[in-house]
Every structure is written in C-alpha cells, then in structure tokens.
Amino acid sequence: MKNTPKILVLFLVALVMSSCFKKLKDDLTPSGSATLIANGTNVSLGIPTAITLLGVVTIEANKDKSGYTILLNKSDIKEGKTYDLKSSTGVFTFQHDGTFYSPSTGTLKITKFTDNKVVEGKFSFEGNAVGITSKKMTANGTFSVNIIL
C-alpha cells in the first residue's frame, strides 16, 4: 500500500510525457500539399516542408529531380502579397528532370500566412535552363504547408 501513491505519480508522469512527445512528433511531421505543372505536364511531388530558421521561411517540394525551393524573409511575408520572381528579394529555385531553371518572368502570391503555422501560395513563371538559354520552361504550381519549425 505504501507504494501505491508512488506508482500513481509515476503513471501520471508517464501519461503526461507520452502526450507531450506525441504532440511534438505531430508538430515536426510535415503535412500539406504541393503541385507543379512544368511545360504542360503534371509533376508528382512529395509532401512539402516548411521551416523557419534565422528569420527565413524555407518551403520545399521536391521529388525525383523535380520541384521547387522558395526562401522568403519571414518579416516580409504578408497574406495577399505578390512577389516578382525575377527581381524579388526572395530566392526561388525550380528544377525539372534534373535541370535548374531561372525565371525570366513570373509571380509568386502568398494566399495564406499564419505566423509560424501555415503558408499557402501559388506561382507561375517562364524561364530558361541555367546555362542553356535555348531550353525553356513554363510552369505553375501551388503549395499549402504547415510550418514545422
């Protein structure tokens, strides 16, 4: 009988700890969706990720040598804001079939931003392969992703 309170306390501590670890695991598991249409072809992408580190939000959606990476200053992200992909302060990297493309025209619009929780947007651009100006790409896509860090 003397050990009953100790066992009860240990049980309660274990229960609280397991629920905290489950919440942490859920918070660190990427979730969301991403689309990419490159030169008229739907490209299958994996689950996108978004993290915030040193004031920069990094959004990535990549699979099998195709996808995109977007880096934006967190303080600059506003719901409804449109970025010019050619001259914006953000960094935009697009890849299709292992070739990287640089936008010559295009926009990225943030459609939803909840501080350090969710970022959603859409983009479209035309560009050339890096180092091969004769190789062109027209692409558009969307992302909706929970920020995990």
Side-chain angles (χ1 to χ4, degrees):
M1 282 306 228
K2 286 182 170 183
N3 288 335
T4 303
K6 290 179 185 177
I7 292 172
L8 184 58
V9 168
L10 282 173
F11 175 75
L12 290 174
V13 168
L15 186 63
V16 168
M17 293 295 288
S18 69
S19 67
C20 289
F21 285 127
K22 181 182 179 338
K23 170 123 176 65
L24 181 62
K25 179 184 171 258
D26 291 345
D27 288 346
L28 294 177
T29 302
S31 64
S33 63
T35 65
L36 176 64
I37 300 173
N39 290 333
T41 302
N42 284 322
V43 179
S44 175
L45 298 174
I47 295 173
T49 59
I51 62 169
T52 301
L53 184 62
L54 300 174
V56 175
V57 176
T58 302
I59 304 159
E60 288 190 318
N62 297 294
K63 183 178 178 185
D64 299 330
K65 298 183 182 180
S66 292
Y68 50 87
T69 302
I70 303 167
L71 283 76
L72 299 169
N73 288 321
K74 182 180 165 194
S75 62
D76 194 39
I77 299 174
K78 306 275 186 285
E79 193 169 306
K81 182 170 183 171
T82 299
Y83 297 85
D84 180 337
L85 291 182
K86 183 165 173 76
S87 63
S88 181
T89 58
V91 176
F92 308 92
T93 305
F94 299 92
Q95 181 183 24
H96 183 56
D97 287 335
T99 302
F100 288 93
Y101 291 84
S102 176
S104 54
T105 65
T107 59
L108 166 78
K109 182 173 184 176
I110 300 298
T111 56
K112 180 178 181 181
F113 180 66
T114 306
D115 190 28
N116 258 7
K117 300 251 188 263
V118 175
V119 62
E120 296 179 0
K122 59 185 178 179
F123 65 86
S124 64
F125 79 94
E126 292 181 3
N128 299 323
V130 174
I132 311 170
T133 56
S134 63
K135 193 171 185 179
K136 302 195 180 302
M137 181 186 352
T138 301
N140 60 63
T142 62
F143 54 89
S144 174
V145 60
N146 292 334
I147 300 171
I148 58 174
L149 290 176

